[in-house]
Amino acid sequence: GGAELAANTIEKLVSLSLEEVHDSDGSQSLALDGVTDGEEDVALFPLEKAVLLEVADVEVLHSPLLKGAVDVEEELSQSIVLGKVDAVEEETFENLFDSLPSIRVPRAVSCPEFVQFEFHPSLRNKPSSVDSFLKVIPPNGCIVFLDTETTGLSKNDRVIEVAFILRNYHTMQEKRWYSLINPLGQKSGSMALQAHKIPDRILTNEKPFSDLADSIMNFIGDHLLIAHNVGFDRRMLNDELARLFLPLLPENRFECTLKLARKIDSSKKNNLSAICDRYEVDLTSRSEYHGAMQDALLLAEVYPLLKLSQKMIL
């Protein structure tokens, strides 16, 4: 049937300068550079009805699973199409991907303007605990939570995904900076790929770190930086900065949630998932892969709870 034909011809999910946008009605769409609808330079399709596919056989274009497929490249053997799925076929279409390699199309986006955020539910009705937390953070109330994903662990490895969340605890507002990064030919090792599930090929159209460094440094400013296992993230970011002969991030700019959790209880597991489990922070976003924005958001959620536990306030 159509599903069997498509399963035999689809090789893997790919990205073509993909970004998530918000339409005027508040809904989310996928924007693809290089695909036009006749009037705009970027084609927009409903996010929940769109999937990027790479096909190796022209016959897949006639599959009932693909509606309104758009041919992007000239050679059909390497064409990329956008499949729009009818509601009645969504379950069949989702089942099709169960047999495909576990590869994702990252969907995190930057949020350049400040928006409201809330504390973890366990703190929302505890003003005294919130007041105590505010006393142990920088006087300006601003903290940047960050995470990176990389091609591996060595000096030669590169950063391929970064996320920074700036939270102002005086105004209870946050803004976010996110990007995939072109590692300029450095391939992800098997263990790294298993964790972040970002295939090398989707990074080739992304900007290199050299094009993003100024924007990153402007975003983080001189604020306190929070990461889990700071030594790794700091080293990887500083390696990228050193390649550009830019000033490095000093150790005293950072606080490490791994070290903090170990001070509270070194007898327990203190990886990020284990800490979130202990403090009942929802880990749904981390169930399939490690993503920079997902992990930065988890850090932002659990950090106040860790600081309060350290002070034996909770």
Side-chain angles (χ1 to χ4, degrees):
E4 181 179 356
L5 172 63
N8 290 332
T9 55
I10 296 172
E11 292 181 347
K12 63 183 68 173
L13 294 177
V14 297
S15 171
L16 181 67
S17 300
L18 175 67
E19 65 179 353
E20 182 179 306
V21 299
H22 292 270
D23 296 330
S24 58
D25 62 359
S27 62
Q28 294 176 322
S29 299
L30 293 178
L32 292 91
D33 295 339
V35 183
T36 65
D37 58 6
E39 300 194 13
E40 301 290 342
D41 290 334
V42 176
L44 302 180
F45 300 90
L47 184 62
E48 70 277 8
K49 298 287 186 181
V51 180
L52 283 177
L53 306 172
E54 181 178 22
V55 300
D57 193 317
V58 64
E59 290 183 331
V60 76
L61 297 177
H62 303 297
S63 167
L65 294 173
L66 299 178
K67 301 297 182 181
V70 180
D71 184 18
V72 178
E73 296 187 0
E74 291 183 3
E75 297 184 12
L76 289 175
S77 62
Q78 297 296 325
S79 68
I80 301 171
V81 301
L82 183 81
K84 298 181 71 178
V85 188
D86 285 345
V88 295
E89 295 167 340
E90 282 192 45
E91 183 176 355
T92 303
F93 201 79
E94 289 174 359
N95 291 340
L96 170 65
F97 290 107
D98 290 342
S99 61
L100 295 178
S102 183
I103 294 176
R104 63 165 174 143
V105 177
R107 291 179 178 174
V109 293
S110 295
C111 180
E113 303 298 328
F114 277 107
V115 296
Q116 293 295 128
F117 73 90
E118 292 184 305
F119 279 110
H120 185 268
S122 65
L123 293 178
R124 290 174 195 167
N125 297 316
K126 294 185 177 180
S128 61
S129 293
V130 171
D131 289 343
S132 297
F133 170 69
L134 294 177
K135 292 177 182 178
V136 297
I137 64 173
N140 66 2
C142 293
I143 297 176
V144 173
F145 300 90
L146 69 95
D147 189 63
T148 65
E149 297 298 333
T150 69
T151 59
L153 306 177
S154 76
K155 280 292 274 188
N156 293 326
D157 281 301
R158 306 298 296 264
V159 175
I160 59 171
E161 185 183 39
V162 289
F164 301 91
I165 301 171
L166 170 59
R167 286 195 166 180
N168 185 326
Y169 287 96
H170 290 170
T171 63
M172 294 300 290
Q173 291 184 315
E174 70 173 23
K175 59 181 178 179
R176 305 176 185 181
W177 196 102
Y178 170 84
S179 186
L180 289 170
I181 299 175
N182 188 334
L184 300 176
Q186 181 71 24
K187 306 295 184 183
S188 286
S190 58
M191 291 185 64
L193 184 59
Q194 185 178 3
H196 57 60
K197 293 184 171 62
I198 303 176
D200 298 318
R201 66 177 303 152
I202 77 166
L203 299 171
T204 56
N205 290 327
E206 301 297 333
K207 294 179 179 179
F209 192 90
S210 58
D211 288 356
L212 302 171
D214 286 345
S215 179
I216 289 173
M217 300 307 287
N218 287 336
F219 185 87
I220 66 176
D222 59 359
H223 301 305
L224 174 66
L225 305 174
I226 308 292
H228 194 76
N229 191 14
V230 155
F232 176 73
D233 292 292
R234 177 173 170 262
R235 175 172 66 83
M236 296 304 297
L237 288 171
N238 277 343
D239 284 349
E240 295 289 355
L241 293 170
R243 293 183 183 102
L244 303 173
F245 303 100
L246 293 174
L248 306 185
L249 296 167
E251 188 174 357
N252 62 8
R253 286 284 308 274
F254 291 84
E255 184 174 2
C256 181
T257 51
L258 175 58
K259 290 182 178 179
L260 183 56
R262 285 174 175 170
K263 288 180 181 178
I264 295 169
D265 192 342
S266 60
S267 67
K268 295 179 179 178
K269 288 184 177 180
N270 285 304
N271 59 55
L272 184 56
S273 292
I275 295 170
C276 289
D277 271 338
R278 283 206 294 278
Y279 290 98
E280 299 181 347
V281 173
D282 186 6
L283 282 167
T284 303
S285 65
R286 213 176 194 234
S287 60
E288 296 182 1
Y289 60 83
H290 294 188
M293 184 59 77
Q294 289 92 327
D295 286 2
L297 284 167
L298 291 174
L299 279 174
E301 189 84 339
V302 81
Y303 176 73
L305 302 173
L306 283 170
K307 292 296 285 185
L308 290 171
S309 291
Q310 183 187 31
K311 298 296 182 181
M312 296 172 42
I313 294 168
L314 288 180

